[in-house]
Amino acid sequence: MSENTSMMKPIVKLRGHVGSVFLVGQFDFNAHKAFRLACQELLDNSDITDIEIDFDQVPYLDSSALGMLLLLKERASHAGKSLALVNCKETVRQVLEIACFNKLFHIP
């Protein structure tokens, strides 16, 4: 049985006032709906003040993923929530830096 490794699976975890979305797989246009639904859960939760997008298991992201992150940043800002991109591997970090996301997002 083969698994479709190109389909990203976001996993939402809550820790106090921090909501994390753990991304697993390629972050591209195919992930749009799953990513949006996972993030909406955190945006709608009034107990969550900080949102983290965890890239530890993401080998690749494309320009549509960058657009999804920009939209999430705007929506988090409107909801009064902070947003951080965490555990970025070197290839993901390079894409984010080329797009100047290191100036727009907190990327520890």
Side-chain angles (χ1 to χ4, degrees), residues 92-103:
V92 168
R93 188 175 290 276
Q94 286 176 349
V95 172
L96 295 172
E97 287 177 1
I98 289 168
C100 295
F101 272 41
N102 53 328
K103 293 177 170 60

Side-chain angles (χ1 to χ4, degrees), residues 42-55:
L42 298 177
L43 291 167
D44 290 343
N45 186 332
S46 60
D47 292 335
I48 298 300
T49 58
D50 304 299
I51 297 173
E52 293 180 344
I53 307 300
D54 192 305
F55 284 87

Side-chain angles (χ1 to χ4, degrees), residues 23 27 53-58 61 69 85-88 92:
L23 306 179
F27 191 13
I53 307 300
D54 192 305
F55 284 87
D56 186 56
Q57 298 296 312
V58 176
L61 73 159
L69 291 170
L85 310 181
V86 301
N87 296 325
C88 299
V92 168

Side-chain angles (χ1 to χ4, degrees), residues 21-88:
V21 178
F22 293 87
L23 306 179
V24 179
Q26 293 186 18
F27 191 13
D28 56 24
F29 183 76
N30 294 321
H32 179 262
K33 184 177 181 182
F35 181 73
R36 182 176 45 80
L37 291 173
C39 292
Q40 191 62 48
E41 179 181 333
L42 298 177
L43 291 167
D44 290 343
N45 186 332
S46 60
D47 292 335
I48 298 300
T49 58
D50 304 299
I51 297 173
E52 293 180 344
I53 307 300
D54 192 305
F55 284 87
D56 186 56
Q57 298 296 312
V58 176
Y60 168 85
L61 73 159
D62 68 6
S63 61
S64 64
L66 298 176
M68 288 183 258
L69 291 170
L70 286 173
L71 183 59
L72 175 59
K73 179 176 174 35
E74 182 178 305
R75 295 178 71 209
S77 177
H78 285 293
K81 300 174 191 281
S82 73
L83 178 63
L85 310 181
V86 301
N87 296 325
C88 299

